[in-house]
Amino acid sequence: MTRSTIGKIRGTYDQLSRTEKKVAQMALNTPAVVSEMTIKELASATGVSTATISRFVKRMDYANYREFTMALAHLAIEDGGEHQSSFPELAEGDSLATIANKTFHYTISSLEATNEALSEKDLARAVLKLINAEKVTFFGLGALQLQPLMAIISFYALLYR
């Protein structure tokens, strides 16, 4: 499965230069708008050079700027022009079923976005770090106190297979 454009951007965001992050942020926030911009318009809107945008596009594994904007346009069509980035609004009159439904769908979309941002190379590197670690510690605060316990149980299950 190929990673989506948004997944690629999120997955490499921390490794981007300061100027490339400006381009990435605009693409993440307004993919439909960026998909309709020329490279010069995007450079002007983000305050970076066209060369920076070209480097960014290559880093995202696109052959050229046009291919990148086509991928963003495709994403905008799939998402209806919107990319959900925050928890859905709960209305005062929402029923428990509606609240549960909104929470469930938001959680699923968050997991899918996380999955898209992960690369096999990064996962392999993380696994090697865990394997070679002298000590692995799990933490959880407040309502998440059970999560570390579940992780420990999962790790023990893997060890004794």
Side-chain angles (χ1 to χ4, degrees):
M1 179 171 110
T2 61
R3 291 166 58 196
S4 75
T5 304
I6 297 298
K8 288 178 187 179
I9 296 170
R10 286 184 178 152
T12 59
Y13 189 83
D14 290 338
Q15 289 81 41
L16 298 175
S17 69
R18 181 182 52 78
T19 54
E20 288 173 327
K21 284 181 179 178
K22 291 179 180 182
V23 178
Q25 203 58 55
M26 186 152 189
L28 288 171
N29 292 341
T30 57
V33 172
V34 173
S35 73
E36 295 178 9
M37 293 177 137
T38 66
I39 193 168
K40 287 182 180 180
E41 290 170 335
L42 182 58
S44 176
T46 56
V48 304
S49 69
T50 56
T52 296
I53 296 170
S54 293
R55 279 192 304 275
F56 170 77
V57 167
K58 297 281 187 206
R59 187 177 276 208
M60 295 300 113
D61 294 325
Y62 291 101
N64 53 47
Y65 181 73
R66 183 71 182 139
E67 185 179 329
F68 174 69
T69 58
M70 294 296 286
L72 286 177
H74 181 72
L75 175 72
I77 290 168
E78 283 181 349
D79 287 351
E82 294 181 15
H83 197 76
Q84 183 176 359
S85 61
S86 62
F87 195 79
E89 285 294 318
L90 298 177
E92 192 172 325
D94 283 350
S95 68
L96 289 177
T98 301
I99 293 170
N101 193 31
K102 286 180 178 180
T103 303
F104 178 79
H105 287 293
Y106 176 75
T107 302
I108 294 295
S109 66
S110 294
L111 289 171
E112 287 172 345
T114 301
N115 186 46
E116 288 177 359
L118 296 173
S119 72
E120 192 168 340
K121 179 182 169 188
D122 291 338
L123 285 173
R125 197 168 57 229
V127 167
L128 285 174
K129 286 184 184 264
L130 285 170
I131 289 170
N132 294 321
E134 189 175 310
K135 184 178 185 179
V136 177
T137 307
F138 295 93
F139 296 92
L141 300 172
L144 299 177
Q145 289 178 358
L146 290 178
Q147 297 298 12
L149 181 58
M150 292 171 62
I152 291 167
I153 292 168
S154 297
F155 271 72
Y156 278 132
L158 289 172
L159 285 173
Y160 295 109
R161 277 189 180 200

